[in-house]
Each structure stands twice: as structure tokens, then as C-alpha cells.
Amino acid sequence: MSNTAPALTEVEQFGIDRIPDADRTAKPLDLFRLAFGGANTFATCVLGAFPILFGLSFKQGLLATVLGLVVGALILAPLSVFGPRNGLNNAVSSSAHLGVHGRVVGSFLSLLTAIAFFSISVWSSGDALVGGAHRMVGLPQNDGMFALAYGVFAVLVLVVCIYGFRFMLFVNKIAVIAASALFVLGFFAFAGDFDFGYQGAFASVSTPGFWPAFIGSALIVLSNPVSFGAFLGDWSRYIPAETPRKRVMTAAFASQIATILPFFFGLATASIIAAKAAPYMDPAAPNYVGGLLEIAPSWYFLPVCLLALIGGMATGTTALYGTGLDFSSVFTRFNRVQATVFIGVLSIGFIFVGRFAANLAQSISTFATLIITCTAPWMVIMMLGWLTRRGWYDADSLQVFNRRQRGGRYWFAHGWNWRGMGAWLGSAILALMFVNLPGQFVGPLGNLAGGVDISLPVGLGLAAVVYLGLLFAFPEPRGVYGPEGPRLVGASDAPVPPITGQNATSEPVEELI
């Protein structure tokens, strides 16, 4: 018997509670559409332009892009399995490894990341829409027009997110095809000006400054897949639990590899801008969207506007939906719709203040990078936690925080698992110290690697070593591991406190083969 999906215009009622089996009608292909659609936008093109901004040649930039995408996709893919297993978003599932109260770390990381990327998507798409309309029909480029464009984007995104998962999936089904077609059309628009042999500032890998530029470019690309880590469970929780994990992980991996399309578009067009309109690629004040419109043929102005509208909707919905969901999980007096409206209005206010009053448009990109640096160690702890637990979780114990209960398998020390929390906090702080964003943010240890930003590798590696080391030195209670016991690490005989509160039960989620 097959499950029937609810109507598209039916407002989603599920918050952060476990999605019932009867309502889990999504497929791995739907996960691909959401993750790819959310990145198949101008915002990704801007990231794709960074290798050229850093002085790399087109070939060098392409190699750095492919390297960053593949590594980032490999890091991201395992985060897709928690949703189908538990029917919960990843922040709630993180209770198993950071504790009932420690799970707020994942909620606030996703909250801050979503607001940052929602702002970036609205700003970049709004600028492209107004700029394209100016070149096409002479629409004035003033604060009023930019404010109107930002407002229209933001309100449309908020409406889609209020309706919820099904409506968001519908938007992204259209966005994946339409945006991809417009990007492909763009290759024809710029083919005559494109030079595959574009030379940057580095004649060879031995040229001073090459490796910092190359590694920095790869890490910027890598940060895009990593930014989805906290959100995958928001969407994959609608996939049935019996779906093979390989299919779910493949969908997540492929969704990021597919973003080679907007990354390549950004890289190629940036090389053209650098050759034909160099002032737009000034590292001190880059303006990729303005440069793109400067070099674009007139017939491509309309596709630019459509791409801005479609891409902005896709990125904005995938970011804001997860934000409302996580906010409702931390402040349970709000349901999903109320939390989405509250966060949406707050984000819209932030967008206008940041753009017109405080000039935060560039600073928010730095802020997003710092948040991702903190998210990467959290992702490692989640993955290693899954490995050591053999993918076994207790559904009721994961919901203790949401139900305002106490106890359960993941109560640890007053709701905090100091092993996971300590590994995350130490790794995140040290990683931030290694951040090197010249002109924006350079940590105390940012120049230790010759100017190379190694913050993400440091955060990922240290989190793995410290977390496993703590699990070896201070074993977790045997009760958190389920009937098959732990993998790779030991377990203690410490008792698991019973769940206390209304409707307290303790029925574990059995391992599905």
C-alpha cells in the first residue's frame, strides 16, 4: 500500500515531532531537488568567482572548484541518513551525541546559517533583478527599487515556507529545471568571449602565493556543501525509514556535485569579467553581478532576471524553512507556522537594515563563513556518533527536550553530554583562530600556515580526534548503544535515568537492515 502525499496548498502542521510513517512519502530524488535547487543560484555563482578574484587561472580555478566540491559532498552525504532513521531534523537527532540540552547547538547553528544565507540570496538576487531590468527597460537603480525587489523576494519566500515542505518541494522541482536551463543558455551567451586558457596571476604552482590562493578557493567551494549539513534532516525526515541508506546518501552527494553547473558558470564568467571589465573584479570591492550585466549581451538580460527570481526563491525557501523549524524546536510555545512567521519577519528586517542602514552586505558573507567553520566539527561528531552507535537511536529519548521532560538515554549530565560538547566547542574555537579572510577576519593563528586558511581542515580533524579520544577515555553508558552494543569504543555500566513527565515511554528505534 502506498502513502498519499497531502495537497500542495495544505499548510504543513508537523513541527519538530517525529514524522509518522504514513506521512513519509518523499523520495531520495526529492532530497536531491531540494539540496541542488537551493544551491543552483546566483549566490553559488558568486562563490564560483572567488578563484579568479584570488588570482588563479581558469584551469587552476576549475581544479580547485572540483576538489572543493567532491570533498564537501563527501563530508555532507552522511548527514542525510539521520532524517529517514529518526523522522526528525538533524538538530533534534543531535540530542543523542550532545545531550538533551546540548542539541540547541545544532538548532542555533542552523538558525544563524539560514539567516545569513537567506540574506545573501535576497541581496544577490535582488541586485541582479534590478540591474537586469535597468539594462533591459531602463528601470532606475535607486534604493526604492532595490527595497521593492528585496521585499518581493522575502515575502514570496515566507509564503512558501508557511505552506511548508510540499510547497517548497514544488518550487524546487521547477527551480532545478528552469535555473539549469538558464545557466546552460548563459554558456551560449558568453561562449564567444570565453577563453579556456585565461591566465591569472600565478604562472605555475611554484609562484609565491599560489598555494594559499588555491587552497583558499577550494575551501570556499567546500563551505557550500558544508552549509547544508544542519538542514538535510529538515527534508530527509520525510523519506521512509526503510529506504536504503546508500540511495539517500547518493542523492545528497549528487546534489552537491550537480552544483558544478553554477560554480562553472561563475568561474567562467568571472574570467571574462576580469579580462573585459576588470574594475568589477577588484578584490577590494568585487561586484560580480554588476560585472556579469556589463559583459552580458542584451538578449540575456531577461534570462538574468528570471534566474535571479527563480534562484532567489529556491535558496530562500530552503534556508528559511529550516530556520522556522529549528526555532520552534527551541522555543516550543511556537508552532512551526508561528516560528516561521516570526523568524521570517525578523530576517526581512535584518535584510533591510543590513543593506540600507548598516552596510552589512559584505560582512554577512564573513559571518556565514565563520558559522560554517563552527558547523563542520558538529557534523563530524554527528557522523562519528552514528558510526559508534551503529545507527541505533531511541525515538522517545530524542524528544525529551521538545516535550519538556527529563531523563532518558541521552540525559547524560543534566542534559549535557560533555564528551560531544567538549569536542565541538574546543574544535570550533581553535578552527576560528585559524580563519584567514584578508581584509575581513584573520584569527590569531590565521597566518600560521603561510597565509593559507586551514580553519575547516583543523576543525574537522580535531573534532574527530578529540571526540573519539573522549569516547575511549570516558565511555558512554551502555544504554545509549542499543542491543548490539558500541562499535570501535567501549561502554560503561552507568545507569540510564527513566524519562519523567507526561506520557513518558521508552521505545527504541530498531536497526533497519
Side-chain angles (χ1 to χ4, degrees):
M1 181 179 66
S2 61
N3 297 330
T4 303
L8 182 67
T9 55
E10 181 181 337
V11 176
E12 179 187 1
Q13 298 302 314
F14 295 119
I16 36 74
D17 293 331
R18 184 176 184 274
I19 303 298
D21 292 341
D23 294 285
R24 296 168 70 170
T25 57
K27 301 176 181 178
L29 179 59
D30 295 323
L31 178 62
F32 170 88
R33 287 167 172 158
L34 285 166
F36 175 44
N40 196 28
T41 65
F42 266 130
T44 304
C45 295
V46 172
L47 296 180
F50 270 89
I52 303 300
L53 278 172
F54 287 174
L56 298 182
S57 69
F58 176 80
K59 294 178 182 178
Q60 293 165 347
L62 182 59
L63 181 59
T65 299
V66 171
L67 176 64
L69 265 186
V70 172
V71 175
L74 288 172
I75 295 172
L76 175 71
L79 271 293
S80 63
V81 299
F82 290 91
R85 162 67 69 233
N86 298 323
L88 302 164
N89 73 350
N90 284 356
V92 175
S93 292
S94 72
S95 299
H97 310 299
L98 280 80
V100 167
H101 295 150
R103 52 141 295 189
V104 299
V105 169
S107 295
F108 278 106
L109 285 174
S110 61
L111 178 71
L112 296 174
T113 304
I115 292 177
F117 277 86
F118 178 54
S119 301
I120 292 172
S121 70
V122 171
W123 282 331
S124 60
S125 295
D127 289 350
L129 181 61
V130 173
H134 171 73
R135 295 291 301 274
M136 190 167 52
V137 298
L139 187 75
Q141 289 182 293
N142 53 41
D143 286 350
M145 287 296 101
F146 284 114
L148 179 62
Y150 298 153
V152 169
F153 270 123
V155 171
L156 288 176
V157 167
L158 182 57
V159 169
V160 172
C161 291
I162 289 173
Y163 276 103
F165 177 78
R166 301 295 168 188
F167 207 145
M168 184 175 65
L169 180 58
F170 171 74
V171 169
N172 277 270
K173 284 180 179 179
I174 297 174
V176 165
I177 298 174
S180 298
L182 291 169
F183 277 127
V184 171
L185 186 63
F187 292 136
F188 290 98
F190 300 107
D193 296 320
F194 173 62
D195 179 12
F196 187 78
Y198 168 81
Q199 294 295 317
F202 307 103
S204 69
V205 298
S206 60
T207 303
F210 169 79
W211 286 111
F214 181 86
I215 296 175
S217 298
L219 289 177
I220 285 178
V221 175
L222 182 149
S223 69
N224 199 56
V226 170
S227 70
F228 284 88
F231 301 134
L232 280 188
D234 300 341
W235 317 320
S236 64
R237 67 192 186 129
Y238 279 92
I239 298 175
E242 63 271 14
T243 305
R245 289 195 292 272
K246 288 184 178 180
R247 290 184 57 199
V248 179
M249 293 177 62
T250 298
F253 178 83
S255 70
Q256 299 308 304
I257 297 301
T259 61
I260 189 64
L261 179 62
F263 271 113
F264 186 92
F265 183 90
L267 180 67
T269 52
S271 68
I272 299 173
I273 296 169
K276 298 186 64 177
Y280 288 98
M281 296 300 289
D282 181 1
N287 183 5
Y288 170 77
V289 173
L292 180 68
L293 292 169
E294 180 67 25
I295 66 170
S298 57
W299 64 264
Y300 194 64
F301 293 154
L302 178 59
V304 165
C305 294
L306 293 175
L307 191 56
L309 179 62
I310 295 169
M313 286 287 292
T315 300
T317 53
T318 52
L320 192 59
Y321 173 80
T323 306
L325 192 66
D326 273 312
F327 189 80
S328 68
S329 72
V330 176
F331 299 95
T332 54
R333 67 176 60 187
F334 290 96
N335 60 34
R336 188 197 65 82
V337 174
Q338 292 170 332
T340 299
V341 172
F342 177 80
I343 291 296
V345 172
L346 187 66
S347 299
I348 292 172
F350 178 81
I351 288 170
F352 277 84
V353 171
R355 176 62 172 80
F356 298 111
N359 193 25
L360 293 176
Q362 183 175 358
S363 299
I364 198 65
S365 300
T366 305
F367 176 69
T369 301
L370 299 180
I371 292 299
I372 291 168
T373 302
C374 294
T375 302
W378 179 86
M379 294 171 65
V380 169
I381 291 168
M382 290 285 286
M383 287 185 280
L384 292 177
W386 172 285
L387 180 66
T388 58
R389 304 286 177 83
R390 302 180 186 272
W392 187 94
Y393 295 91
D394 182 336
D396 282 319
S397 291
L398 289 173
Q399 293 278 8
V400 164
F401 182 94
N402 310 330
R403 297 170 180 169
R404 292 298 185 260
Q405 298 171 327
R406 299 172 62 87
R409 299 178 191 271
Y410 311 127
W411 187 249
F412 298 106
H414 304 288
W416 303 90
N417 185 354
W418 60 270
R419 304 164 188 82
M421 287 293 299
W424 170 76
L425 186 60
S427 302
I429 291 175
L430 190 62
L432 288 174
M433 296 176 69
F434 277 94
V435 170
N436 189 323
L437 298 173
Q440 299 180 54
F441 179 88
V442 178
L445 304 178
N447 293 312
L448 199 62
V452 178
D453 186 332
I454 59 172
S455 55
L456 275 177
V458 167
L460 292 168
L462 187 64
V465 172
V466 173
Y467 184 51
L468 286 178
L470 290 174
L471 291 181
F472 274 110
F474 306 97
E476 294 177 326
R478 193 174 306 278
V480 306
Y481 289 106
E484 295 187 27
R487 179 190 283 133
L488 301 179
V489 298
S492 72
D493 293 323
V496 173
I499 296 176
T500 58
Q502 294 183 348
N503 302 320
T505 60
S506 185
E507 297 179 3
V509 176
E510 299 297 336
E511 175 71 11
L512 299 172
I513 305 299

